[in-house]
């Protein structure tokens, strides 16, 4: 099976600089390659340009706030049945995005940022009568770069920000239905952030 989708949304809002323009394109495909193996993939592209659409209690808004976003997301996954009651599920997601924020009246001339991320997870599901085990491993990476340009004392200054984070996670959970009308859950998870 497959699907292709497109969305365009545009409005000028109800006051000055209240406009929003969104374009979204997505494609999805899913297939059973073998009786016990299925795969899926998705590609998504989003563009957003907007002014100040926040509603504040004092009614104030910024006439010159502008935000532009360009985002691409790629996702893939698979489901493999080892035997009855034993399944492997895996997924991978990649994100590549660029944002640009401008607010000259507050001294922010330009604030371009890029976000790059990856996440992969593999999970084993085991089910037998009144007993179930879910175990898995997950790795996520996030790279963030920002180059903040602003006015200070009449001079243009730049403040770069960079980060590269990794998150590792392993877990195992058991679910037991015993005796009648009782459900027991026992789990352990380990996380590490670099």
């Amino acid at each position: 099976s497959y699907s292709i989708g497109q969305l365009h949304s545009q409005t000028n809002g109800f006051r000055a600089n209240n406009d929003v323009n969104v374009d979204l394109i997505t494609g999805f495909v899913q297939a059973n390659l073998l009786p016990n193996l299925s795969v899926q993939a998705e590609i998504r592209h989003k563009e957003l340009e907007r002014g100040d659409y926040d509603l504040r209690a004092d009614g104030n808004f910024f006439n010159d706030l502008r935000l532009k976003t360009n985002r691409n997301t790629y996702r893939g996954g698979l489901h493999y049945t080892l035997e009855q009651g034993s399944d492997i599920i895996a997924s991978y997601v990649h994100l590549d995005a660029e944002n640009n924020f401008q607010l000259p009246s507050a001294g922010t001339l330009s604030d371009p940022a890029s976000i790059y991320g990856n996440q992969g997870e593999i999970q084993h599901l085991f089910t037998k009568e009144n007993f179930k085990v879910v175990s898995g491993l997950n790795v996520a990476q996030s790279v963030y770069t920002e180059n903040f340009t602003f006015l200070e004392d009449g001079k243009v200054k730049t403040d770069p920000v960079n980060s590269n984070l990794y998150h590792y996670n392993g877990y195992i959970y058991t679910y037991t239905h015993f005796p009648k009308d009782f459900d027991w859950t026992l789990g352990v998870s380990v996380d590490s952030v670099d």
Side-chain angles (χ1 to χ4, degrees):
S1 64
Y2 67 92
S3 70
I4 297 172
Q6 188 270 338
L7 167 74
H8 173 78
S9 175
Q10 183 174 350
T11 179
N12 289 327
F14 61 90
R15 57 172 159 74
N17 198 37
N18 192 231
D19 61 300
V20 179
N21 189 352
V22 179
D23 285 299
L24 177 66
I25 299 171
T26 183
F28 177 81
V29 63
Q30 181 174 326
N32 284 336
L33 302 179
L34 299 169
N36 61 340
L37 175 65
S38 62
V39 296
Q40 64 180 19
E42 180 183 24
I43 297 174
R44 180 178 291 209
H45 174 76
K46 180 179 180 180
E47 293 180 14
L48 166 71
E49 183 174 355
R50 71 172 178 90
D52 185 4
Y53 62 39
D54 293 331
L55 294 176
R56 296 175 185 85
D58 60 8
N60 291 330
F61 65 95
F62 296 101
N63 281 320
D64 58 347
L65 182 148
R66 299 304 298 166
L67 176 66
K68 292 182 182 180
T69 300
N70 192 339
R71 176 178 296 181
N72 294 307
T73 306
Y74 309 93
R75 186 173 63 88
L78 70 84
H79 176 212
Y80 182 71
T81 301
L82 298 168
E83 60 184 38
Q84 186 175 351
S86 182
D87 297 278
I88 298 286
I89 298 174
S91 68
Y92 171 75
V93 179
H94 171 80
L95 171 69
D96 191 1
E98 293 181 1
N99 296 330
N100 192 8
F101 175 82
Q102 296 176 337
L103 185 56
S105 63
T108 303
L109 300 179
S110 179
D111 189 13
S114 64
I115 303 165
Y116 171 90
N118 293 292
Q119 179 177 352
E121 183 170 5
I122 187 165
Q123 188 176 83
H124 180 247
L125 306 173
F126 176 79
T127 305
K128 187 149 186 148
E129 296 178 11
N130 294 331
F131 184 70
K132 181 178 180 180
V133 178
V134 178
S135 58
L137 298 171
N138 180 46
V139 177
Q141 175 201 24
S142 174
V143 178
Y144 180 79
T145 304
E146 183 177 11
N147 201 9
F148 183 53
T149 304
F150 57 98
L151 281 175
E152 186 176 281
D153 299 326
K155 296 179 182 177
V156 176
K157 295 190 175 183
T158 301
D159 185 15
V161 176
N162 296 301
S163 69
N164 188 0
L165 298 175
Y166 284 88
H167 178 212
Y168 305 93
N169 172 251
Y171 55 88
I172 183 167
Y173 297 97
T174 63
Y175 305 94
T176 306
H177 182 72
F178 180 81
K180 184 181 176 184
D181 298 330
F182 281 90
D183 289 319
W184 302 87
T185 302
L186 177 65
V188 176
S189 176
V190 177
D191 289 87
S192 173
V193 178
D194 289 336

